[in-house]
Amino acid sequence: MQRRGFLKLLAAFFTSILSGSFLYSFLRYLAPPSKSSEASKIIVAKAEVAEGQAKEIIINNTPAIVINRPGKGYIVLSRVCTHLGCLVKYEPDRSRLFCPCHAGVYNLDGKVISGPPPKPLPKFPFRVEGENIVIG
Amino acid sequence: MWKGIVEWLEVRIGLKDFLREQFTEYRVPPDINIFYTLGIVAFFAYIIQAVTGFFLLLYYIPHSEHAFQSVQHIMTEVPYGWLIRLMHVVGSNLMVAVVFLHLISVFIMNSYKKPRELTWVVGGLLLLTTLTFCLSGYLLPWSQLSFWATTIVTNLPTAFPYLGDWLAYLLKGSEQVSGTTLNRFFALHVAFLPPILVTLFGLHLFLVRRIGISRPPFSKNYPPPSSWTQYRHEEYPEGIPFYPSFFIKEMYMVVLYMVIMFFVITFMPTLFLPEEASIPADPYTTPLHIKPEWYFLAPYQMLKLIPNKFLGISIQLVLLFIFLFWPFFDTSDERDIRKRPLLLTVFFLTIGVWIILTIWGKYS
């Protein structure tokens, strides 16, 4: 390799390292690490969620909903629509969860029935302890 | 004193020569029509947005706990604050309408053809910058409408695998739309986008003047299509002077723009401010009747109709690409759209589908 060619290659190498370092710093600056919310537990009294009813809660900064499904028991779902992030609304008379932004429809298990959402609503783990539902 | 200033400038920069060359001796095509004034009307609309935006900055507080209150303060307590804000809100919508009309007229007259492909591309980028201005400004009042519209837009990248979630996070600066998102949209709106807009506008104007204004292809004297093999400035020695003849037409249109703006402000002040725009943002309640602005209704309805997120957003990106680089797809020499039935059909079909989707999106 000619000396000139070698120097060009070396200059290109160091320039890319330098530009890459700046680019990396800028990208990290723009996307700071998310604040990890402490894993919290939410306690909801069973009496608050009668059969066919639901209660909206917030767990780890995520809006969620506890539903007492007729004949199927409790379920805790995220309310964040998997399409574009709007919050779904529980419609007890139609036994479904409806997203007002792009008309996504989920059943009470969180599965997509119609509309553009690509995935079911995420579920939160919970257990029933006496008269309470402990979520998280 | 005025004469003194003119003389002072004349000695230093040859002001009279400059004005003669650029205005009185500068000739535009003799058969130029009223649609050629839309560019200057759009420019005027940008100026109004910049001036009213500056005045709004004096009272607006870019913080999630104060933004909504500060906008209410401007609307109800600051003397004539309502006027400045309504000029900004109504102006932003009218500005988009004018840019759309400008684009449609350029398309109908096929003025994007060789050698003006770059002028079209830069114009397309100007439209995208304008829409980004509208989007970033939309969040600033921190109302229910702005919060949820921004939630939807910032989640669009999540349709793409691997980088999508990271890009959405980059836009928001947090997992959900938050005060951090407000800060970065504010920075985008008042500091990042203005220099981009000015640069693109300067480039657009440079290209228009460097190449010369295109002649409408509808007159009887229009020359037959010719191939363009080397650079030349398109001149019209038989044309009409830019100043005063054409300039007066432009000013008529600017006045018409102001008349429409003040008509809306006076008689339809809530036309662009639905109920959700007057409710402070609530991150835990999505309003039932959330709709985007009229110019985003067609893509919004399209997203609703296509039952696959990735496909829906990908189709829109492909359409955007075709729009932006249209001059490179349409390579025919013929500029008279009446002699091109296929192009005419594509045009009416596109406009028709756009209008149907917009009305459907509004009332669905």
Side-chain angles (χ1 to χ4, degrees):
Chain A
M1 184 185 274
Q2 296 282 323
R3 190 168 63 173
R4 184 175 290 270
F6 173 73
L7 286 174
K8 272 185 184 171
L9 202 67
L10 205 64
F13 174 73
F14 282 115
T15 310
S16 8
I17 294 280
L18 197 68
S19 325
S21 330
F22 275 114
L23 188 67
Y24 177 75
S25 318
F26 276 110
L27 288 178
R28 284 304 305 267
Y29 179 82
L30 285 173
S34 57
K35 287 174 190 162
S36 55
S37 49
E38 286 175 25
S40 56
K41 280 185 181 171
I42 302 276
I43 297 172
V44 175
K46 280 162 73 178
E48 286 183 74
V49 199
E51 194 173 68
Q53 298 299 306
K55 184 177 168 61
E56 290 176 0
I57 55 168
I58 294 157
I59 183 155
N60 299 336
N61 292 330
T62 304
I65 188 164
V66 186
I67 308 170
N68 189 349
R69 297 166 296 176
K72 289 174 87 176
Y74 300 103
I75 189 167
V76 184
L77 299 169
S78 162
R79 286 176 61 217
V80 182
C81 180
T82 56
H83 182 222
L84 292 172
C86 294
L87 300 185
V88 297
K89 195 100 185 146
Y90 175 52
E91 294 184 342
D93 49 333
R94 301 173 82 169
S95 291
R96 67 178 198 174
L97 293 146
F98 176 73
C99 177
C101 290
H102 296 95
V105 179
Y106 303 84
N107 68 12
L108 297 188
D109 297 327
K111 287 183 185 148
V112 182
I113 299 174
S114 67
K119 289 184 285 192
L121 292 170
K123 291 176 188 166
F124 285 97
F126 71 95
R127 61 185 185 280
V128 178
E129 286 181 2
E131 289 308 303
N132 292 323
I133 307 161
V134 182
I135 305 143
Chain B
M1 185 187 165
W2 176 247
K3 210 173 170 184
I5 294 172
V6 171
E7 279 308 315
W8 191 89
L9 285 169
E10 172 60 26
V11 171
R12 282 152 184 88
I13 60 168
L15 184 68
K16 286 175 186 166
D17 262 2
F18 174 77
L19 292 177
R20 197 168 51 243
E21 275 170 25
Q22 299 296 321
F23 292 95
T24 50
E25 281 182 8
Y26 175 56
R27 308 235 156 205
V28 294
D31 40 8
I32 202 161
N33 58 46
I34 201 77
F35 295 104
Y36 278 75
T37 60
L38 289 169
I40 200 76
V41 178
F43 172 69
F44 188 78
Y46 286 124
I47 298 288
I48 291 184
Q49 290 311 104
V51 172
T52 52
F54 171 76
F55 279 102
L56 287 174
L57 269 179
L58 302 180
Y59 291 97
Y60 174 73
I61 305 171
H63 189 286
S64 57
E65 281 173 25
H66 306 290
F68 184 80
Q69 287 308 326
S70 69
V71 172
Q72 296 309 306
H73 175 65
I74 291 170
M75 287 296 278
T76 55
E77 289 169 49
V78 177
Y80 295 102
W82 59 270
L83 178 67
I84 304 290
R85 178 164 185 243
L86 283 179
M87 280 178 79
H88 201 69
V89 171
V90 174
S92 69
N93 284 276
L94 292 184
M95 177 177 69
V96 174
V98 170
V99 175
F100 275 161
L101 285 176
H102 181 42
L103 214 135
I104 290 171
S105 71
V106 167
F107 188 91
I108 290 176
M109 287 186 269
N110 277 207
S111 301
Y112 53 80
K113 286 190 170 294
K114 193 176 177 182
R116 298 185 177 81
E117 300 96 325
L118 259 183
T119 319
W120 170 274
V121 173
V122 175
L125 291 175
L126 269 170
L127 172 70
L128 295 186
T129 312
T130 307
L131 294 177
T132 316
F133 253 115
C134 294
L135 270 177
S136 55
Y138 214 55
L139 179 66
L140 304 188
W142 203 245
S143 65
Q144 272 290 70
L145 184 70
S146 53
F147 184 92
W148 291 103
T150 308
T151 298
I152 294 170
V153 171
T154 50
N155 275 311
L156 287 176
T158 58
F160 298 97
Y162 307 114
L163 273 179
D165 285 341
W166 181 78
L167 272 176
Y169 187 80
L170 196 75
L171 274 174
K172 289 182 276 192
S174 50
E175 297 290 346
Q176 283 96 29
V177 171
S178 65
T180 314
T181 321
L182 179 66
N183 286 353
R184 52 186 66 194
F185 273 50
F186 177 71
L188 199 68
H189 197 71
V190 305
F192 189 73
L193 289 173
I196 292 179
L197 188 88
V198 170
T199 309
L200 286 173
F201 180 77
L203 189 57
H204 195 65
L205 194 66
F206 164 76
L207 289 166
V208 169
R209 293 302 294 263
R210 178 77 182 152
I211 301 168
I213 293 182
S214 73
R215 191 172 185 166
F218 307 126
S219 73
K220 283 178 186 165
N221 300 326
Y222 186 72
S226 62
S227 54
W228 193 283
T229 48
Q230 64 172 41
Y231 168 75
R232 67 173 189 272
H233 181 260
E234 203 158 6
E235 287 180 15
Y236 306 96
E238 80 291 9
I240 55 170
F242 175 78
Y243 184 88
S245 310
F246 187 59
F247 184 75
I248 288 173
K249 274 187 188 170
E250 289 187 324
M251 289 305 110
Y252 279 147
M253 292 298 277
V254 166
V255 170
L256 180 66
Y257 177 84
M258 294 300 286
V259 168
I260 294 171
M261 175 189 270
F262 282 103
F263 179 86
V264 175
I265 291 174
T266 311
F267 298 107
M268 296 182 273
T270 56
L271 183 65
F272 302 116
L273 292 170
E275 196 188 333
E276 286 80 14
S278 309
I279 303 169
D282 176 358
Y284 300 116
T285 312
T286 304
L288 269 183
H289 304 291
I290 186 114
K291 302 272 176 183
E293 285 289 314
W294 60 271
Y295 41 84
F296 286 129
L297 278 169
Y300 157 82
Q301 185 59 23
M302 208 168 159
L303 275 183
K304 271 168 88 171
L305 293 176
I306 300 171
N308 182 297
K309 184 170 155 183
F310 178 72
L311 191 68
I313 293 168
S314 302
I315 288 176
Q316 298 201 357
L317 283 179
V318 169
L319 290 176
L320 186 68
F321 179 84
I322 294 174
F323 154 74
L324 204 55
F325 296 102
W326 179 250
F328 302 100
F329 291 98
D330 175 15
T331 49
S332 155
D333 278 339
E334 180 57 62
R335 272 190 56 205
D336 189 343
I337 198 166
R338 294 169 305 179
K339 295 176 185 165
R340 303 187 60 197
L342 183 64
L343 186 68
L344 205 60
T345 313
V346 168
F347 170 73
F348 280 120
L349 208 65
T350 310
I351 296 286
V353 169
W354 185 274
I355 292 172
I356 289 169
L357 283 174
T358 300
I359 297 171
W360 195 352
K362 174 81 182 163
Y363 296 104
S364 63

